[in-house]
């Protein structure tokens, strides 16, 4: 009996098919995209220090220290005296106007005139100054936070000047412009922008400039002259308004009516000038002379701040003021259709502040390093 054939116990081993290492034509390789270029590395530039940063070059130390007060707290310099003398024609015209009004009071006419003359003392009256600051200058008292920022700087300024700081009152103007003011006998005002955006050294330079107006007598003499010139100014406005009304009414009567009004007004003007020995003619040149004295007082106040060690800070503030003026000039040019608006010669003569380059020129002696002896 034949035996069945013997088969191997394991099935035969067939070679395994290894997938190709390279893509075939049926499976194209994925496209390669260019890689993004690596941005160049620049050296790190540190941001400029903030105005409140002690590392700012115009930051000053305001730590409390002993104050040596000067014997002479105030003085009346040449610009203050010149300002008072230039207001003399205005004062005499106002006195004439007050005298005319006082005639309506009969026997009390002299009392009315004396009361008006004595009213100049209100310039140094604290409640009157507060009303002036609020309603005319649009100032307000600083908040506790603002006072905590202003008082250390003011203490440093007055300490260097040897002045009793509590004599003056600090006020704030809600404005985004760079400005400050010294008025009456004790008002020192600064804008919110100057208080919050300037380094404390530059803020000190601004306050020292305003203090210079006070210790030099510029603030009180200017306000006193303005006060005594007020009746004459009001009378001039009334006469000007009445003349305008009379001129328009005279047009209804033709050329004869206009000629009559001109002769009437001209005769009154000639009679007034002749009676007062030509004094009213001086008033025509007073505004230009007062503007010149005002420019000189600004330079004196700059020198006062520079002498206290704030010359570099004040120069930086003047540069910022100049940039602000240029921006306003550019805005005015844009509103005028791109046509530049140039300041006339009379406007420059009536300006109460010197130009930027003149102020920087007068600061140069304080900006140059001192030579050792």
């Amino acid at each position: 009996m034949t035996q069945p054939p013997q088969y191997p116990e394991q099935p035969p081993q067939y070679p395994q098919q290894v997938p190709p290492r390279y893509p075939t034509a049926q499976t194209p390789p994925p496209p390669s995209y260019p890689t993004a270029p690596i941005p160049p590395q620049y050296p790190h530039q540190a941001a400029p220090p903030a105005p409140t940063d002690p590392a700012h070059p115009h930051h000053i130390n305001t730590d409390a220290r002993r104050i040596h007060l000067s014997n002479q707290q105030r003085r009346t310099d040449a610009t203050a005296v010149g300002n008072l003398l230039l207001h003399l024609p205005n004062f005499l015209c106002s006195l004439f106007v007050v005298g005319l009004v006082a005639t309506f009071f009969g026997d009390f006419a002299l009392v009315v005139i004396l009361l008006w003359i004595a009213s100049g003392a209100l310039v140094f009256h604290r409640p009157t100054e507060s009303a002036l600051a609020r309603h005319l200058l649009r100032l307000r008292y600083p908040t506790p936070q603002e006072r905590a920022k202003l008082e250390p700087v003011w203490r440093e300024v007055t300490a260097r000047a040897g002045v009793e700081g509590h004599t003056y009152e600090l006020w704030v103007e809600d404005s985004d412009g760079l400005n400050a003011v010294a008025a009456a006998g004790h008002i020192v005002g600064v804008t919110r922008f100057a208080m919050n955006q300037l380094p404390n050294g530059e803020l000190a330079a601004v306050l020292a400039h305003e203090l210079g107006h006070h210790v030099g007598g510029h603030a009180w003499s200017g306000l006193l002259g303005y006060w005594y010139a007020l009746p004459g100014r009001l009378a001039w406005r009334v006469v000007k308004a009445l003349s305008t009304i009379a001129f328009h009414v005279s047009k209804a009567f033709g050329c004869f009516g206009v000629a009559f009004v001109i002769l009437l007004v001209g005769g009154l003007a000639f009679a007034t000038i002749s009676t007062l020995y030509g004094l009213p003619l001086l008033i025509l040149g007073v505004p230009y002379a007062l503007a010149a004295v005002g420019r000189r007082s600004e330079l004196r106040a700059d020198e006062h701040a520079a002498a206290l060690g704030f010359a570099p800070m004040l120069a930086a503030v003047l540069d910022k003021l100049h940039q602000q003026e240029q921006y306003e000039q550019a805005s005015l040019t844009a509103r005028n259709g791109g046509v530049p608006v140039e300041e006339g010669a009379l406007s420059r003569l009536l300006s109460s502040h010197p130009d930027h380059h003149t102020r920087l020129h007068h600061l140069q002696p304080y900006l140059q390093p001192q030579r050792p002896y």
Side-chain angles (χ1 to χ4, degrees):
M1 182 174 181
T2 16
Q3 296 181 355
Q6 300 291 328
Y7 295 98
E9 297 179 357
Q10 297 181 354
Q13 302 291 329
Y14 297 97
Q16 298 179 356
Q17 294 183 358
V18 181
R21 301 180 62 182
Y22 300 98
T24 62
Q26 290 78 11
T27 58
S32 60
Y33 298 96
T35 58
I38 301 176
Q41 300 295 325
Y42 297 99
H44 177 70
Q45 295 182 355
T52 57
D53 189 353
H56 196 283
H58 290 165
H59 182 86
I60 61 173
N61 184 14
T62 57
D63 293 339
R65 56 192 175 90
R66 188 174 181 180
I67 299 177
H68 300 278
L69 297 179
S70 174
N71 292 330
Q72 187 180 13
Q73 293 286 296
R74 293 174 183 261
R75 64 182 185 275
T76 303
D77 60 18
T79 54
V81 175
N83 186 70
L84 291 175
L85 292 177
L86 288 174
H87 271 103
L88 185 59
N90 293 331
F91 169 78
L92 294 177
C93 289
S94 295
L95 182 62
F96 177 74
V97 172
V98 173
L100 290 178
V101 175
T103 55
F104 294 98
F105 293 88
D107 297 337
F108 296 97
L110 182 60
V111 176
V112 172
I113 295 175
L114 293 178
L115 286 176
W116 174 73
I117 294 176
S119 65
L122 294 175
V123 172
F124 303 98
H125 185 231
R126 291 298 183 105
T128 305
E129 286 186 356
S130 298
L132 172 70
R134 288 192 183 94
H135 303 293
L136 185 62
L137 302 178
R138 303 299 181 185
L139 303 177
R140 61 170 174 81
Y141 282 121
T143 64
Q145 294 80 9
E146 293 170 341
R147 188 172 295 278
K149 183 179 296 185
L150 286 173
E151 285 187 346
V153 180
W154 179 246
R155 183 174 60 244
E156 176 65 22
V157 170
T158 55
R160 295 190 186 189
V163 173
E164 177 57 60
H166 297 290
T167 303
Y168 304 95
E169 290 185 356
L170 297 175
W171 295 73
V172 175
E173 179 186 357
D174 287 320
S175 171
D176 294 328
L178 177 54
N179 197 12
V181 63
H186 311 92
I187 295 175
V188 176
V190 65
T191 60
R192 185 180 60 242
F193 175 88
M195 178 181 57
N196 294 327
Q197 301 299 325
L198 294 181
N200 67 345
E202 295 180 12
L203 177 60
V206 172
L207 294 177
H209 173 91
E210 303 306 329
L211 180 62
H213 283 308
H214 276 298
V215 299
H218 312 154
W220 69 262
S221 63
L223 184 58
L224 192 66
Y226 175 82
W227 175 258
Y228 282 129
L230 197 56
R233 293 174 183 267
L234 294 176
W236 167 248
R237 291 182 181 181
V238 171
V239 171
K240 186 177 179 181
L242 292 177
S243 301
T244 303
I245 294 173
F247 181 77
H248 286 294
V249 172
S250 65
K251 289 183 178 180
F253 299 94
C255 297
F256 293 101
V258 174
F260 175 75
V261 171
I262 293 176
L263 290 175
L264 178 62
V265 174
L268 291 175
F270 179 78
T272 303
I273 293 173
S274 302
T275 305
L276 298 177
Y277 303 99
L279 187 62
L281 294 177
L282 296 177
I283 300 178
L284 300 178
V286 166
Y288 300 95
L290 285 175
V293 171
R295 292 192 293 269
R296 184 58 188 169
S297 67
E298 293 296 327
L299 295 177
R300 287 288 185 92
D302 285 348
E303 293 173 359
H304 178 268
L308 298 181
F310 299 115
M313 296 81 164
L314 184 59
V317 172
L318 293 178
D319 288 338
K320 293 177 181 178
L321 279 172
H322 186 55
Q323 293 175 3
Q324 179 178 305
E325 292 172 357
Q326 287 181 329
Y327 175 77
E328 294 174 353
Q329 186 71 18
S331 301
L332 186 60
T333 301
R335 290 195 299 268
N336 199 35
V339 179
V341 180
E342 298 182 358
E343 187 180 12
L346 291 180
S347 299
R348 290 193 295 269
L349 289 175
L350 288 173
S351 177
S352 60
H353 285 68
D355 61 87
H356 173 67
H357 303 289
T358 300
R359 298 182 74 172
L360 285 182
H361 174 74
H362 283 79
L363 282 180
Q364 288 305 313
Y366 300 95
L367 294 172
Q368 297 174 357
Q370 300 294 327
R371 296 181 179 178
Y373 292 98

